[in-house]
Amino acid sequence: MPTLLWFRRDLRLGDHPALNAAADDGEVLACFVLDPKLEASSGRRRLQFLGDSLRRLRDDLDGRLLVTRGRPDELIPRIANEIAASAVHVSVDFAPYGKRRDEQVCAALGSVPLVATGSPYLVSPGRVVKKDGSPYQVFTPFLRQWRESGWRPPAKSGAGSARWLDPVRLRIDRAEIPDPGATLDLDAGEAAARKQWKSFMDNGLQRYAEERNRPDLHGTSRMSAHLKFGSIHPRTMAADLDLRHAGAQAYLRELAFRDFYADVLHHWPASAWRNWNRQFDSIRTDTGAEAKSRFESWKAGETGFPMVDAGMRQLRETGFMHNRVRMIVASFLVKDLHLPWQWGAEWFLDQLVDGDMANNQHGWQWCAGCGTDAAPYFRVFNPTTQGEKFDPSGDYIRRWVPELRSVDDAHLRKAQRPADYPAPIVDHGAERAEALRRYQNI
């Protein structure tokens, strides 16, 4: 009997356990449902990357991908009924919205099973627990147990793994694949993901441990968007890592962090938008007119702090920001401007191509001090010192802040501030002291 393979955050054909499970049952119809709720919460660039990924997947399937738009709990049962599917196959979604949606779809399918095989993670959320069965709240012990849990080798799958049904005769409305016209600096799709990974393996992995914190260098893999949309599975990547080398060890640790934050969100779904550590609910944040004005300066990269402005302009212009710089600009928003971390998290999700609910929200809470394993509240990044340490020559700043291109000292410790570059919107020393006062009061 035919089966339905419902793609979500797994837009590839290689290393795809749910594809193999669907193919075992018979002919397979591949479909993707454009969920209006998720479309509404995706920024233009993330929607562009999704659209580009879907076009590549459709090409890889020789056009045999049904793309439709609407509520999944209405459309998936309708498509399953149309082809008399014996089952609907998916990769597990552990995000709060994804879990609710799948429960609704499962109920609407009735006697047709929703079969979940595999997930977007090396070790699925919920599998790594303490001896008493409770979840980890600190990364380092999680990492030890995560390594012990281990993971399967990549699944052998591809376009030839299934007999694909052609959706052309189905009485289901087709939807245009999104193409909002946003410019991206990253190609989408499975072939692009594998090409990017090979390039990093060949040219960047050996130096990754030393260069991963340097935004002025090409020291990172740029695989985050591919992992977000599943155009490659982290298992495929982990299988290539030679852990005798420091770069590979450091990279695997970052994949573990991705699994850790997904695990935290799985166990504490309210932490998507609320403080994981509820003691921080009482901290005083600024939300009035002046706060909103400072927030706009931060978003525009017009704070007068070169490293902050470089990061925010890179984000605005490309939909990407180096991870070290994400920490610097987040610390600045929370501890220099005293704004709610949720404001920054929402802006990141609007702008980032790789915007991922678990990584983004818990990265922000790490900086704000209110998350699991968080930076201690008294750790306040000095944006100038951070800039000097991680962009020592100022090349990153000069690239994204053209007003500072002709200045000898792009960090403005020694150089005169150009007339067309804004003065600092706050005094870092004074705001650091104010932040510590507020934190000590909770």
Side-chain angles (χ1 to χ4, degrees):
M1 288 182 72
T3 60
L4 179 61
L5 178 59
W6 175 20
F7 285 93
R8 291 99 67 90
R9 287 183 54 186
D10 50 358
L11 303 181
R12 67 185 183 279
L13 299 174
D15 193 1
H16 200 307
L19 162 53
N20 285 341
D24 284 345
D25 289 345
E27 291 183 302
V28 179
L29 175 68
C31 84
F32 185 90
V33 177
L34 291 162
D35 185 336
K37 276 194 173 179
L38 292 180
E39 281 188 288
S41 65
S42 294
R44 284 179 71 247
R45 291 195 191 91
R46 200 151 66 254
L47 211 53
Q48 186 71 52
F49 195 85
L50 169 64
D52 292 349
S53 301
L54 287 171
R55 279 181 281 276
R56 303 290 186 278
L57 180 61
R58 183 181 60 188
D59 291 346
D60 293 343
L61 287 167
D62 294 327
R64 290 168 297 184
L65 175 68
L66 171 64
V67 178
T68 185
R69 175 181 280 104
R71 287 181 49 160
D73 61 335
E74 295 174 356
L75 284 171
I76 292 298
R78 192 184 307 164
I79 299 166
N81 182 62
E82 179 88 5
I83 65 168
S86 60
V88 177
H89 289 269
V90 293
S91 302
V92 187
D93 191 336
F94 287 95
Y97 176 75
K99 285 194 280 192
R100 290 195 304 272
R101 174 204 58 208
D102 288 356
E103 286 168 5
Q104 292 165 353
V105 170
C106 194
L109 280 168
S111 61
V112 178
L114 181 68
V115 181
T117 312
S119 81
Y121 303 101
L122 275 170
V123 182
S124 296
R127 269 187 55 202
V128 179
V129 291
K130 300 177 189 175
K131 287 180 179 174
D132 64 1
S134 63
Y136 283 97
Q137 302 178 27
V138 177
F139 175 68
T140 304
F142 173 90
L143 175 63
R144 283 195 295 267
Q145 188 61 40
W146 178 86
R147 285 178 181 277
E148 284 188 25
S149 294
W151 45 88
R152 295 182 180 90
K156 291 181 170 60
S157 67
S161 298
R163 288 176 292 131
W164 300 99
L165 287 170
D166 193 331
V168 71
R169 293 189 183 86
L170 295 183
R171 294 166 297 177
I172 303 291
D173 290 338
R174 309 294 195 278
E176 286 288 322
I177 294 176
D179 193 3
T183 303
L184 302 178
D185 67 349
L186 194 68
D187 290 333
E190 184 172 6
R194 288 179 179 261
K195 181 181 177 183
Q196 177 70 23
W197 177 238
K198 185 179 186 310
S199 174
F200 175 69
M201 289 278 297
D202 293 343
N203 304 307
L205 184 60
Q206 281 188 312
R207 301 185 305 277
Y208 180 73
E210 298 83 37
E211 296 186 357
R212 55 186 287 272
N213 276 307
R214 291 282 300 273
D216 57 328
L217 305 174
H218 295 293
T220 62
S221 68
R222 290 302 308 270
M223 294 300 295
S224 53
H226 291 299
L227 286 166
K228 156 70 182 172
F229 287 96
S231 41
I232 194 169
H233 196 285
R235 230 179 357 230
T236 303
M237 299 158 67
D240 289 335
L241 295 175
D242 182 347
L243 297 178
R244 292 173 299 179
H245 301 291
Q249 291 175 19
Y251 199 89
L252 187 68
R253 190 173 186 274
E254 293 305 305
L255 291 177
F257 248 121
R258 180 174 179 268
D259 283 11
F260 176 60
Y261 282 153
D263 190 72
V264 171
L265 188 60
H266 168 65
H267 288 291
W268 291 277
S271 69
W273 291 105
R274 303 189 69 167
N275 295 327
W276 178 86
N277 184 345
R278 301 305 294 274
Q279 288 180 290
F280 283 74
D281 289 357
S282 61
I283 197 164
R284 184 165 66 86
T285 56
D286 295 348
T287 55
E290 186 179 354
K292 288 173 182 170
S293 173
R294 288 178 174 179
F295 182 51
E296 292 304 317
S297 297
W298 177 83
K299 287 199 299 184
E302 299 283 349
T303 68
F305 289 84
M307 197 66 173
V308 173
D309 292 344
M312 296 309 297
R313 294 187 196 189
Q314 181 187 22
L315 176 65
R316 192 180 62 195
E317 291 178 37
T318 69
F320 176 78
M321 191 194 298
H322 187 282
N323 188 59
R324 167 57 58 172
V325 188
R326 294 187 198 199
M327 290 191 279
I328 295 168
V329 305
S331 177
F332 186 82
L333 178 122
V334 173
K335 293 176 177 175
D336 285 74
L337 303 185
H338 317 298
L339 305 181
W341 65 263
Q342 291 92 336
W343 289 15
E346 188 172 21
W347 178 246
F348 269 29
L349 286 177
D350 182 72
Q351 294 291 304
L352 285 168
V353 176
D354 64 17
D356 174 89
M357 185 62 76
N359 271 356
N360 188 63
Q361 308 309 82
H362 286 283
W364 271 93
Q365 293 201 50
W366 181 87
C367 289
C370 59
T372 56
D373 211 13
Y377 73 84
F378 50 81
R379 185 181 185 188
V380 180
F381 282 172
N382 180 320
T384 306
T385 305
Q386 289 279 310
E388 290 174 323
K389 182 176 181 180
F390 296 112
D391 182 25
S393 63
D395 288 349
Y396 175 75
I397 288 170
R398 290 191 189 91
R399 180 179 178 188
W400 297 107
V401 186
E403 304 97 301
L404 301 178
R405 276 181 193 157
S406 59
V407 176
D408 289 338
D409 173 23
H411 307 288
L412 299 181
R413 283 263 207 212
K414 309 176 189 77
Q416 187 172 352
R417 187 173 294 264
D420 60 347
Y421 184 63
I425 59 172
V426 293
D427 178 305
H428 171 70
E431 302 308 336
R432 178 183 183 278
E434 172 63 16
L436 294 179
R437 269 195 298 274
R438 295 190 188 196
Y439 277 96
Q440 285 161 355
N441 283 336
I442 63 172

